[in-house]
Amino acid sequence: MLTLQQIKENPARVIQRLAIKGFKADEPIARILELDERRRALQLSNDNQAAQLKKMAASIGALMKQGKADEANEAKATVASLKEQQKETAEQLAAVEAESRNILLTIPNIPCDMVPEGLTADDNVVERSGGPMPSLPADAMPHWDLARKYNLIDFDLGVKITGAGFPVYIGKGARLQRALIQFFLDRAGEAGYIEVQPPYVVNEASGYGTGQLPDKEGQMYLVTEDNLYLIPTAEVPVTNIYRDVILDERQLPVKNCAYSACFRREAGSYGKDVRGLNRLHQFDKVEIVRIERPQDSYAALEEMKDHVQSLLEDLGLPWHILRLCGGDMSFTSAITFDFEVYSAAQQRWLEVSSVSNFETYQANRLKCRYRNADKKTTLCHTLNGSALALPRIMAALLENNQTPDGIIVPQCLRRYTGFDIIN
């Protein structure tokens, strides 16, 4: 969440920048500033009352030693009254702080200056592109037909076992899926990321820590009896490793990667966008997460983008990078770059990765800080990205590499699959 200092330094700018995300911040910002004035007044009153209590408590002992019992009893009565006043002040202070925090939790992150204005995906900016565009015959098959033809994925079986959006990978399809996961993890390790295996369910505090709550609870699967959430991405458990942690500056940067299954309700999805692997309720993904000093985070962001780009180049897929406009960004992000690959049989671009810098927004929720050589503690910057999400990568690989003889496996995956063609 935003820090109070960010808001107080230039509330007009905060309001103006949040408008780029389509968020009207006038009233919540005004209320935050009003509550801060109230909080400071209550804190001053509380401090004064504490000082008076300390002074009165000391005087009681002195009066008793002097044999002034009546005056001591009067002082005790005053102390009792002051304690009641202080209790009331403390309750009011807690209520003001709670209201302030609840409002802050509803305010999205401020988009950085590089974020273009715009409200929809049509306003996103193509930053760069590459990769060979495949030339397929007119009768080229979409991946859901290829999956059926070569017995790679059974969508109907997934419906039988669970429901729509839960495919079953079979034979060479399962092996190709596992090959992609291992390839992504190995490449992350080569880039200096330390692998972790996180839980697939998290508590409410973790959801709040990374900003999925209170913004996206409708998209998360909730285990109601235990009040636990199935993770929508490994970003949530991995970043929460550093909740309530003060790192030494020498420990930075922190670079973690994790493979996980991801679970998303995707409420409201319909039409061609959900066909086959295009939009699932359960899917696999390798995530990269970084914890950085503020002055290093944008250089780290560029490294992450280059890392994702290199994966797509090795897979031989056509790709482009979109710098998202304010209206198409997530609640928590300061800037986001989406990677899309071209699906030749569907003749459309498919998102396969989002790489984001959250600046201090998540770190403030998490209380993730570092201590420098001067012993000063500072909020970290957090970043994460998909490297990569598998379903649409699999879709594009099957479609773009189809031939009359079968589906050609990219060279970089063959040592993992043990085969170079699916037939």
Side-chain angles (χ1 to χ4, degrees), residues 371-384:
R371 182 179 287 111
N372 63 20
D374 298 327
K375 307 302 181 184
K376 179 183 177 182
T377 58
T378 305
L379 286 172
C380 299
H381 278 196
T382 64
L383 306 93
N384 68 50

Side-chain angles (χ1 to χ4, degrees), residues 21 111-112 114-116 124-125 127 298 301 305 321-326 328-339 351 353-358 384-385:
K21 279 192 170 182
C112 80
M114 291 187 290
V115 172
N124 295 335
V125 176
E127 193 158 276
Y298 277 88
L301 182 67
K305 288 162 58 182
I321 306 175
L322 301 175
R323 179 156 42 102
L324 299 193
C325 69
D328 203 30
M329 287 171 61
S330 75
F331 184 87
T332 52
S333 173
I335 187 167
T336 295
F337 295 89
D338 275 4
F339 284 74
E351 180 194 332
S353 174
S354 283
V355 180
S356 300
N357 189 345
F358 303 94
N384 68 50

Side-chain angles (χ1 to χ4, degrees), residues 155 164-169 177 181 184 200 219 221 230-235 258-266 276-287 351-354 385-394:
F155 296 100
F166 296 89
V168 176
Y169 297 84
Q177 179 88 341
I181 293 166
F184 295 152
Y200 289 179
Q219 291 295 327
Y221 285 100
L230 275 64
I231 61 171
T233 164
E235 165 203 345
Y259 156 73
S260 78
C262 304
F263 304 89
R264 300 183 186 180
R265 293 184 62 243
E266 298 289 2
L277 296 171
N278 287 345
R279 193 172 294 274
L280 302 177
H281 295 303
Q282 177 184 321
F283 61 95
D284 293 320
K285 181 156 68 82
V286 172
E287 189 81 357
E351 180 194 332
V352 294
S353 174
S354 283
S386 316
L388 286 157
L390 272 74
R392 295 169 191 162
I393 290 288
M394 176 79 88

